[in-house]
Amino acid sequence: MGITRKLATKLISYQSSIRHQHKKVIMSRRLHARRTDGVDKNIWVEFTQLAADYKAVNLGQGFPDFSPPKFLQDAFCEAVSGGPQMHQYTRAFGHPPLVKNLAKFFSRIVGHEIDPLEDVLVTVGAYQALFCAFQALIDEGDEVIIVEPFFDCYQPMVKMVGGKAVYVPLRPKVEGSTVLSSGDWVLSAEELASKFTPRTKAIVINTPNNPLGKVYKTEELQMIADLCIKHDALCISDEVYEWLTYDGNKHVKIASLPGMWERTITIGSAGKTFSATGWKIGWTISSEQNIKRLKAMHQMSVFDCATTVQEAIARGFEREYELFGTPESYFQQLPALLHQKRNKLASCLESVGLQPIMPEGGYFLIADISSVKVDFNDSMSAGDEPYDFRFVKWLTKEKGLATIPVSAFYSPEHRQEFDKYIRFCFIKEDSTLDAAEDILRKLSQRQ
Ligand code: PMP
Ligand code: GLN
C-alpha cells in the first residue's frame, strides 16, 4: 500500500513536470499566429452574455425580438419540403435563384446591369462578406480609412491582414444649438482628403451607420467618390440597413455614382433586410474583377452557404421585386414600423433627460448619459475601462437594462473622447420598449 502511494506521488509529480515543460515549449515557440493577437475581446460576446446572465431587458445587441414576415417563414417551410436537392450543397458562390434575384433587384437600383454569376457573392452574413473583402483586397502595409464611429469589426479585420487603419471622425456640427440629429454629424472634406496617401487602398463607409444612424447624403457620397477616384482607392460600402430610413431620408448607393461601380464593394445582409439575423446570409456586389478575388477567399474558407435559407431569401426578393414601391412591400412596412418605435424610445429618453441623437436610419439610437450621476461600486470600476463601459455594466447589473457602450465603435486613440453615449436598439416589441421605459423612468426619479 505504502509502495503504491509512493509510486502514485512520483507519477503525479512526473506528469506535472511534463506539463510544465510542455507549457514552456508552447510559450517559447509561440504556437499560435500573431494575427490573432489583440483581437480576442469582443463587445458582442461580452455584453450579450452579460444581458443573459442578468436577465436584463435587452436593447443591446441588434436583433428583432419578433419573427420575420410570414411570407419569408412560408418560403422557408416550402424550401425545407422542396425535395432532396434543397438539403444538399448548392453553388459555392451563391444559390442560383438567389444570385439571379439579387442581381435583378439591385440592377434596377444601382442603374448597372449586374451579372448574377460574375458580380455577386453570397456569404455567411455581412460579417463574412466584410472578412472576404479585407482578406481578398488588402495587402500588408496598405492603409484603410475608417469613418468613426464604425461597426466594431472593421478595425480587427484590417489588422488581421496586416493593414493599417487610418481614422477620420464624423463630427457634430457645433453651430450654437445642441446636436439632435445624426444628420448633424458630418465628415470634413479637408480632413478626409488629408487622410489619403499613396498607400491608401480603401475607405470603409457604413450607411445607414451603426451606431449613429447617419444616412449619407448624395453630396457627401460624391465627395468620398471623388477622393476614391482621384487616389485610385476602393470603397467598401456596408449597407446592411439600406431599407431602414426615416423622415424622408433616402439611402443612396455609392456604387451608383459615376465611376464608382468598378471600385465599390457593396455589402448587404438578409438578416437585417428581412428581420432574420439568425439566418446569417449576406452578399457582396461589385465588378467581376473584385468579386473574383472575394470568391477565392470564400471557396477557401466557407465554400458554400445553407441551401434552404438561400432559397427562402431568393423568394423573398422575388416578392419584393414585384411589390417594390407599394404599401405591401416589406421594405416599406418595416421602416414604417420602426419609425414609430424610434419615436417612442426617443421621447422616453428625452423625458428622462437622456438626450437622444435622432437617427435618420438603421435601428439604433445613441443617447447622452452625462446627466445621470452614478456612484459605481467596486465591481463596476474595472481599471481604466471607459466610462460608458462601466455605465452599461451598472445599468445591466443593477437596473436590469442592457445597452451597448458607444466608445466601442471608436479607435483606441479616440475612445476616451466619446465615452458619454450609450446605444439602444429599438427593433423590439412595444412591450420590450415599455419595460425599458419603466426602468428609465425609475432611474430619472432617483436623481
Ligand atoms: N455591418 C453592420 C453595420 C452591422 O450592424 C452588422 C450587424 N449584424 C453586420 C455588418 C453584420 O451583419 P450579419 O449579421 O449579416 O453578419
Ligand atoms: N450588428 C448587430 C449590432 O450592432 C449585432 C452585432 C453582433 O452580434 N456581432 O448590434
Side-chain angles (χ1 to χ4, degrees):
M1 195 66 174
I3 291 174
T4 319
R5 192 171 302 141
K6 254 190 201 160
L7 266 177
T9 316
K10 262 198 167 161
L11 190 62
I12 289 168
S13 117
Y14 175 71
Q15 281 172 339
S16 129
S17 96
I18 294 278
R19 258 202 307 272
H20 187 68
Q21 278 173 24
H22 182 59
K23 206 170 166 190
K24 257 168 90 185
V25 170
I26 289 178
M27 303 290 281
S28 63
R29 288 179 55 204
R30 288 177 55 84
L31 294 180
H32 63 264
R34 278 190 304 279
R35 74 177 65 88
T36 59
D37 288 348
V39 296
D40 50 340
K41 259 201 130 193
N42 183 285
I43 47 160
W44 311 111
V45 173
E46 183 181 1
F47 286 98
T48 303
Q49 189 59 51
L50 194 72
D53 289 347
Y54 285 82
K55 297 187 175 46
V57 175
N58 195 353
L59 304 192
Q61 191 188 26
F63 64 91
D65 63 355
F66 48 81
S67 295
K70 181 156 181 333
F71 68 81
L72 198 76
Q73 296 184 51
D74 290 347
F76 182 71
C77 293
E78 280 166 29
V80 168
S81 48
Q85 78 283 6
M86 279 294 126
H87 299 275
Q88 309 307 332
Y89 297 132
T90 183
R91 179 174 167 270
F93 308 123
H95 186 49
L98 179 57
V99 287
K100 185 176 133 243
N101 289 349
L102 285 170
K104 184 167 137 192
F105 191 94
F106 286 109
S107 290
R108 189 159 69 176
I109 291 171
V110 185
H112 177 99
E113 202 51 49
I114 297 170
D115 184 317
L117 300 181
E118 310 294 350
D119 304 343
V120 183
L121 170 68
V122 174
T123 53
V124 182
Y127 256 102
Q128 198 223 339
L130 287 160
F131 191 76
C132 284
F134 290 119
Q135 291 282 332
L137 304 170
I138 308 302
D139 272 323
E140 236 174 276
D142 285 347
E143 292 177 5
V144 178
I145 299 175
I146 300 180
V147 184
E148 290 178 304
F150 57 88
F151 185 53
D152 67 304
C153 72
Y154 305 159
Q155 186 257 346
M157 285 189 186
V158 169
K159 186 173 181 268
M160 286 175 87
V161 293
K164 181 174 175 237
V166 174
Y167 302 101
V168 59
L170 286 168
R171 292 185 197 281
K173 278 191 267 179
V174 277
E175 283 155 13
S177 63
T178 8
V179 179
L180 290 179
S181 158
S182 61
D184 295 323
W185 291 55
V186 290
L187 263 181
S188 145
E190 295 73 45
E191 194 174 6
L192 179 59
S194 76
K195 304 287 176 180
F196 278 82
T197 75
R199 300 235 57 149
T200 305
K201 186 69 149 300
I203 178 168
V204 190
I205 60 168
N206 173 212
T207 179
N209 167 277
N210 176 7
L212 189 57
K214 179 184 173 66
V215 177
Y216 284 67
K217 311 246 174 316
T218 306
E219 311 81 80
E220 294 176 298
L221 295 173
Q222 189 59 62
M223 182 262 283
I224 296 168
D226 290 345
L227 286 165
C228 286
I229 292 167
K230 180 172 170 199
H231 295 275
D232 192 21
L234 296 164
C235 178
I236 299 174
S237 186
D238 180 342
E239 304 181 10
V240 300
Y241 303 103
E242 60 192 314
W243 303 109
L244 309 179
T245 59
Y246 317 114
D247 310 324
N249 289 291
K250 287 264 171 298
H251 172 72
V252 177
K253 287 186 172 293
I254 194 165
S256 68
L257 300 184
M260 286 307 286
W261 163 254
E262 298 74 17
R263 55 181 71 252
T264 304
I265 293 87
T266 305
I267 293 177
S269 162
K272 306 294 175 180
T273 301
F274 290 115
S275 305
T277 59
W279 287 23
K280 288 302 296 184
I281 291 292
W283 54 84
T284 60
I285 297 178
S286 188
S287 61
E288 181 182 347
Q289 308 89 280
N290 292 328
I291 292 295
K292 204 161 81 184
R293 301 289 168 155
L294 272 72
K295 281 177 173 174
M297 277 312 304
H298 178 77
Q299 73 189 2
M300 284 303 133
S301 48
V302 165
F303 192 75
D304 202 359
C305 299
T307 309
T308 40
V309 181
Q310 291 191 71
E311 174 72 20
I313 296 162
R315 293 184 192 192
F317 269 104
E318 194 164 33
R319 176 190 187 272
E320 288 304 306
Y321 185 86
E322 300 306 330
L323 296 177
F324 193 66
T326 69
E328 292 83 49
S329 162
Y330 191 64
F331 299 165
Q332 301 259 329
Q333 289 173 348
L334 184 62
L337 176 74
L338 291 180
H339 182 246
Q340 290 169 20
K341 293 185 185 292
R342 177 199 70 162
N343 291 355
K344 177 177 167 65
L345 179 64
S347 58
C348 162
L349 288 168
E350 204 154 10
S351 72
V352 300
L354 294 175
Q355 189 60 59
I357 311 278
M358 206 57 148
E360 303 160 286
Y363 49 54
F364 305 108
L365 183 159
I366 72 170
D368 187 342
I369 49 171
S370 30
S371 70
V372 186
K373 301 284 166 272
V374 187
D375 253 343
F376 298 120
N377 64 33
D378 286 348
S379 68
M380 247 59 87
S381 45
D384 56 358
E385 238 184 356
Y387 181 83
D388 57 346
F389 274 67
R390 292 159 64 199
F391 186 94
V392 165
K393 286 181 183 174
W394 169 81
L395 193 61
T396 310
K397 292 179 182 179
E398 303 286 319
K399 306 292 163 194
L401 176 59
T403 57
I404 297 290
V406 167
S407 67
F409 300 87
Y410 280 86
S411 60
E413 298 95 290
H414 301 145
R415 210 158 267 179
Q416 299 296 341
E417 292 166 43
F418 291 93
D419 67 349
K420 293 289 181 328
Y421 290 99
I422 61 173
R423 191 195 80 169
F424 296 81
C425 171
F426 57 82
I427 187 160
K428 301 292 172 187
E429 292 284 7
D430 281 351
S431 56
T432 310
L433 295 175
D434 288 340
E437 205 166 320
D438 284 348
I439 295 171
L440 290 166
R441 293 214 182 283
K442 282 189 197 126
L443 197 66
S444 74
Q445 281 153 16
R446 87 186 229 301
Q447 293 291 308

